[in-house]
């Protein structure tokens, strides 16, 4: 519970009653705001929770327009205790000054207690300056002040009055019909019990009424001489006086306890809400929409929107909202809570009591924090994407500087040699130079192909054409670029057909086999095998090379990564990245596993075509 004011600039609250003096107060508050650079005016009208209001709707509309003309904001809150509600509102919006008009009550009306201005000035504390402004309506009279009662509910108050007024009459009837009499002391205790019951049910006023009615009935029916208001025995006079004093004291204590209980329950609820709110926001568990939904549920609103604008004259835009028909600007909302200079939380559904605005202010501040955090996260994601792009471009330049220049240099040297007139080349030398040119061109074509494939994957332009394919038709075609006797095939003809893009799968197998051949010893060929497992087919490319530790098995699939001591001219490190991208594009997975006995196994998992079981082995036909 925050009860102190911390000031960053002058924020002036104007208390309006709906009377014509409100115009004078608004203009005076505007002049005070002008004296303090950057001051802000907040006009507030407080109405009773039962809907009764002494303010003129027409006059309030005029005053709202006047407030907006001077650059301020108009607020409507609910509160049965006007001074407390006004102070709650002022502390909730972090105000520094309060402007009130001198009371319009006549002199005799002060017997009902001090006016709103005097009460606010007494309870404002050292952090709030209270200005009482004279006006033309001062002392001309107004309605009786609303009594300060505990909010016990309409049903409880009715029962309190019934017990306080009808209870003594029923008790008197019951006691007068008894014979013999129970005694005056016992009668007083019984009437006192009714007073306490009335205080517990209805608060202070029903209990006071019970004390007055009970004392009169005690005097008339049970104090000699009976049936008169005269008391013959002085001791009975003292007893009646003590009864009234005790009844009033007990009623006051019970009413105060009820108030304190209600305040404690409210503060506990507020603390639980704020604790949950702060914890969830600090842990980053709450999105903006979830927080606004929490506001809507907490205050029972129809819709909640977080509005913002770039400047004082710019139009409002909605940063986030929940519920139907959310407000498009603070003026359209039933409740608006400013957050800084250019942001506001707008709620529609009902007008909130003044004390609820403290919790609403906390929600509004946290909503602004969540919005800022979301935008910072978006900026961080964009920065991370840019950084990843820069890293890829840097790696590309580093790789291209070697892997493209090396074959280009070989091609240029071979071509220059062939064109040279100084040396007479034999047919064998010419064939070797032409073979070097062809190998260099193939390496360039392979590097450029991988770069183009990676670009297609990153831009999302890979569009696979999924068909039913036999692996024994695709895998052999992917081995055209590897040396002879470097690969062994084990693809059973009984395998079910798989759903893939034939061209993409061929490229995947070619990249995996080429990578395996690079790292596998020459005397140990790479094994390419396949097997069916339920509704999937696994294609394995097994090498007997040095293998990869567990912590590096995912890193080798990143673009421009070559694990360990890659052979010279091993490419730019895109082969496995392209292979995984194409595999995922056709709905499969590609993972790396250790080969038993040493080496690395690439496992490609593909989907089996629907309604296609494992094909039986071809039957043998006997010749007759």
């Amino acid at each position: 519970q925050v009860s102190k004011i911390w000031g960053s600039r002058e924020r002036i609250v104007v208390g309006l009653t709906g009377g014509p003096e409100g115009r004078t107060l608004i203009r005076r508050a505007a002049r005070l705001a002008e004296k303090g650079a950057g001051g802000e005016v907040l006009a507030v009208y407080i109405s009773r929770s039962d809907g009764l209001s002494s303010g003129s709707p027409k006059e309030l509309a005029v005053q709202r327009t006047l407030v907006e003309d001077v650059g301020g904001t108009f607020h409507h809150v609910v509160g049965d205790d006007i001074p407390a509600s006004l102070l709650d509102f002022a502390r909730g919006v972090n105000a520094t000054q309060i402007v009130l008009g001198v009371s319009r009550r006549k002199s005799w009306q002060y017997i009902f207690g001090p006016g709103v201005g005097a009460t606010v000035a007494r309870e404002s504390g050292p952090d709030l300056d209270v200005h009482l402004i004279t006006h033309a309506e001062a002392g001309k009279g107004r309605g009786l002040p609303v009594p300060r009662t505990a909010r016990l509910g309409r049903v409880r108050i009715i029962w309190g009055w019934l017990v306080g007024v009808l209870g003594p009459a029923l008790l008197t009837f019951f006691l007068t019909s008894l014979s013999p009499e129970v005694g005056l002391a016992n009668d007083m205790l019984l009437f006192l019990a009714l007073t306490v019951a009335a205080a517990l049910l209805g608060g202070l006023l029903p209990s006071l009424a019970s004390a007055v009615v009970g004392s009169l009935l005690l005097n008339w029916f049970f104090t000699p001489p009976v049936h008169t208001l005269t008391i013959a025995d002085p001791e009975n006079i003292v007893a009646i006086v003590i009864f009234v004093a005790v009844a009033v004291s007990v009623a006051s204590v019970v009413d105060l306890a009820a108030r304190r209980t209600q305040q404690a329950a409210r503060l506990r609820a507020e603390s639980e809400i704020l604790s949950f709110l702060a914890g969830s926001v600090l842990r980053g568990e709450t999105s903006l929409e979830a927080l606004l939904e929490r506001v809507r549920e907490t205050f029972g609103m129809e819709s909640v929107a977080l509005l913002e604008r770039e400047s004082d004259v710019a139009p409002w835009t909605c940063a986030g909202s929940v519920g139907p028909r959310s407000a498009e600007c603070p003026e359209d909302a039933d409740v608006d809570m400013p957050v800084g200079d250019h942001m506001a939380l707008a709620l529609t559904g009902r007008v909130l009591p003044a004390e609820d605005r403290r919790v609403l202010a906390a929600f509004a501040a946290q909503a602004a924090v969540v919005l800022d955090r979301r935008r910072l996260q978006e900026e961080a994601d964009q920065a991370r994407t840019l950084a990843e792009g820069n890293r890829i471009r840097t790696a590309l330049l580093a790789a291209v500087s070697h892997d493209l220049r090396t074959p280009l240099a070989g091609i240029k040297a071979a071509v220059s040699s062939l064109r040279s007139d100084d040396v007479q080349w034999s047919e064998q030398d010419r064939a070797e130079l032409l073979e070097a040119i062809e190998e260099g061109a193939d390496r360039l074509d392979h590097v450029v192909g991988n770069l183009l494939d990676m670009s297609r994957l990153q831009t999302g332009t890979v569009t696979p054409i999924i068909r039913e394919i036999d692996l024994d038709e695709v895998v052999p075609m992917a081995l055209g670029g590897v040396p002879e006797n470097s690969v062994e095939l084990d693809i059973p003809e009984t395998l079910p057909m798989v759903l893939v893009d034939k061209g993409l799968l061929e490229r995947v197998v070619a990249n995996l086999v080429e990578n395996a051949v690079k790292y596998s010893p020459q005397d140990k060929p790479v094994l390419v095998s396949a097997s069916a497992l339920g509704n999937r087919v696994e294609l394995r490319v097994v090498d007997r090379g040095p293998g990869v530790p567990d912590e590096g098995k995912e890193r080798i699939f990143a673009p421009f990564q070559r694990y360990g001591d890659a052979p010279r001219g091993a490419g730019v490190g895109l082969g496995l990245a392209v292979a995984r991208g194409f595999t995922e594009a056709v709905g499969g997975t590609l993972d790396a596993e250790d080969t038993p006995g040493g080496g690395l196994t690439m496992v490609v998992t593909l989907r089996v075509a629907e309604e296609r079981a494992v094909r039986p082995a071809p039957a043998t036909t006997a010749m007759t």
Side-chain angles (χ1 to χ4, degrees):
Q1 178 73 22
V2 179
S3 58
K4 292 186 177 180
I5 302 298
W6 64 97
S8 57
R9 64 173 183 175
E10 292 296 327
R11 182 167 288 176
I12 304 171
V13 170
V14 184
L16 302 178
T17 63
E21 77 279 0
R23 306 181 195 181
T24 303
L25 303 182
I26 293 171
R27 294 189 182 96
R28 182 61 180 271
R31 290 197 296 269
L32 290 174
E34 291 176 357
K35 294 180 181 179
E40 182 180 359
V41 177
L42 297 91
V44 55
Y45 171 71
I46 301 174
S47 61
R48 294 174 56 184
S49 60
D50 57 7
L52 300 178
S53 173
S54 60
S56 168
K58 182 178 180 180
E59 182 63 31
L60 287 173
V62 173
Q63 294 175 13
R64 178 173 190 141
T65 303
L66 179 59
V67 170
E68 294 172 352
D69 289 342
V70 300
T73 56
F74 182 90
H75 304 271
H76 180 193
V77 300
V78 177
D80 293 321
D81 187 350
I82 303 299
S85 299
L86 183 61
L87 289 172
D88 287 339
F89 176 85
R91 294 190 176 100
V93 299
N94 193 26
T96 56
Q97 302 181 51
I98 297 178
V99 174
L100 298 173
V102 174
S103 177
R104 290 188 284 123
R105 292 189 298 173
K106 296 182 180 296
S107 301
W108 63 269
Q109 291 179 329
Y110 281 96
I111 61 175
F112 296 101
V116 172
T119 304
V120 170
R122 184 180 67 248
E123 299 180 1
S124 61
D127 301 311
L128 276 171
D129 297 332
V130 179
H131 303 269
L132 293 178
I133 309 301
T134 58
H135 51 84
E137 303 296 321
K140 291 187 176 181
R142 57 171 301 170
L144 297 178
V146 178
R148 184 175 182 175
T149 59
R151 299 183 184 90
L152 300 176
R154 185 183 302 273
V155 175
R156 288 190 59 179
I157 293 176
I158 293 174
W159 275 104
W161 281 103
L162 291 176
V163 172
V165 176
L166 298 181
L170 295 176
L171 180 60
T172 300
F173 174 79
F174 179 74
L175 291 176
T176 53
S177 62
L178 286 179
S179 182
E181 297 181 356
V182 297
L184 181 60
N186 293 328
D187 294 337
M188 289 184 176
L189 290 177
L190 292 174
F191 278 97
L192 183 60
L194 282 178
T195 302
V196 173
L200 290 172
L201 290 173
L204 181 62
L205 292 182
S207 62
L208 292 179
S210 177
V212 172
V213 173
S215 62
L216 293 176
L217 292 176
L218 280 172
N219 188 4
W220 184 268
F221 289 98
F222 304 101
T223 305
V226 296
H227 301 146
T228 65
L229 295 178
T230 304
I231 303 176
D233 190 350
E235 294 181 357
N236 292 336
I237 298 177
V238 175
I240 292 295
V241 172
I242 293 176
F243 166 77
V244 174
V246 171
V248 172
S249 301
V250 169
S252 300
V253 171
V254 171
D255 180 72
L256 181 61
R259 291 177 182 275
R260 293 293 181 261
T261 301
Q262 182 188 21
Q263 293 174 359
R266 178 178 181 82
L267 292 177
R268 182 174 64 253
E270 288 184 3
S271 63
E272 290 176 355
I273 292 173
L274 296 178
S275 175
F276 170 81
L277 174 65
S280 59
V281 171
L282 289 176
R283 291 190 300 268
E285 299 173 352
T286 303
S287 64
L288 179 60
E289 287 70 22
L291 181 61
L292 297 180
E293 181 64 28
R294 176 79 178 183
V295 174
R296 190 170 75 94
E297 293 176 355
T298 300
F299 297 101
M301 288 295 180
E302 181 180 354
S303 64
V304 180
L306 183 62
L307 308 176
E308 62 177 349
R309 58 182 178 180
E310 296 180 356
S311 64
D312 293 337
V313 295
W316 290 95
T317 59
C318 181
S321 64
V322 294
R325 298 184 298 277
S326 58
E328 297 181 356
C329 61
E331 290 76 14
D332 297 338
D334 295 315
V335 180
D336 65 284
M337 174 59 65
V339 188
D341 295 331
H342 302 133
M343 189 176 294
L345 194 64
L347 294 80
T348 57
R350 66 187 181 92
V351 179
L352 284 182
E355 59 268 23
D356 285 347
R357 296 182 68 90
R358 294 193 299 270
V359 179
L360 182 61
F363 271 107
Q366 294 294 352
V369 171
V370 171
L371 179 61
D372 291 340
R373 188 180 63 196
R374 185 178 72 178
R375 289 176 175 172
L376 289 175
Q377 184 64 41
E378 293 174 353
E379 293 177 0
D381 293 339
Q382 294 177 359
R384 192 178 300 110
T385 302
L386 292 176
E388 180 66 17
N390 289 333
R391 188 191 68 80
I392 292 177
R393 282 192 292 270
T394 303
L396 175 61
L397 292 175
V400 167
S401 64
H402 176 270
D403 293 283
L404 287 182
R405 291 182 62 183
T406 299
L408 280 175
I411 293 173
K412 181 175 176 57
V415 172
S416 299
S417 299
L418 288 174
R419 296 187 59 187
S420 175
D421 298 331
D422 299 336
V423 181
Q424 293 296 326
W425 303 101
S426 64
E427 291 299 328
Q428 182 179 357
D429 293 335
R430 287 178 177 275
E432 291 178 355
L433 291 174
L434 290 174
E435 184 180 359
I437 294 174
E438 185 178 10
E439 290 179 357
D442 289 341
R443 288 176 59 186
L444 283 177
D445 179 69
H446 181 71
V447 170
V448 172
N450 277 335
L451 290 174
L452 292 176
D453 290 339
M454 198 67 219
S455 175
R456 291 168 60 199
L457 288 172
Q458 290 185 342
T459 56
T461 57
V462 176
T463 307
I465 302 175
I466 305 298
R467 296 177 180 174
E468 296 182 1
I469 302 294
D470 278 323
L471 286 181
D472 54 4
E473 297 178 1
V474 178
V475 175
M477 299 178 60
L479 306 180
V482 297
E484 294 183 5
N485 302 323
S486 61
V487 178
E488 291 183 0
L489 287 180
D490 182 14
I491 309 295
E493 296 181 356
T494 57
L495 285 177
M497 301 182 74
V498 294
L499 292 173
V500 294
D501 182 294
K502 182 177 180 180
L504 295 183
L505 179 60
E506 182 178 337
R507 190 60 183 272
V508 170
V509 175
N511 282 6
L512 294 180
V513 171
E514 179 186 355
N515 185 77
V517 169
K518 289 177 183 177
Y519 291 94
S520 189
Q522 293 183 359
D523 58 340
K524 295 180 179 180
V526 173
L527 174 62
V528 180
S529 63
S531 59
L533 297 173
N535 61 349
R536 68 185 190 276
V537 169
E538 287 187 353
L539 177 67
R540 294 176 174 267
V541 180
V542 184
D543 68 59
R544 297 293 179 177
V548 177
D550 292 338
E551 62 271 12
K553 284 186 173 61
E554 281 299 316
R555 193 166 66 250
I556 61 177
F557 292 105
F560 306 105
Q561 296 291 324
R562 289 182 292 181
Y563 185 79
D565 298 329
R568 183 174 180 83
V572 294
L574 288 175
L576 295 182
V578 170
R580 172 170 276 190
F582 282 173
T583 303
E584 293 176 350
V586 298
T589 60
L590 173 59
D591 299 294
E593 297 179 356
D594 291 328
T595 301
L600 189 68
T601 299
M602 293 292 179
V603 182
V604 180
T605 304
L606 303 172
R607 297 173 298 167
V608 173
E610 295 181 1
E611 300 180 359
R612 295 297 300 268
V614 177
R615 291 176 294 179
T620 344
T621 305
M623 299 293 295
T624 57

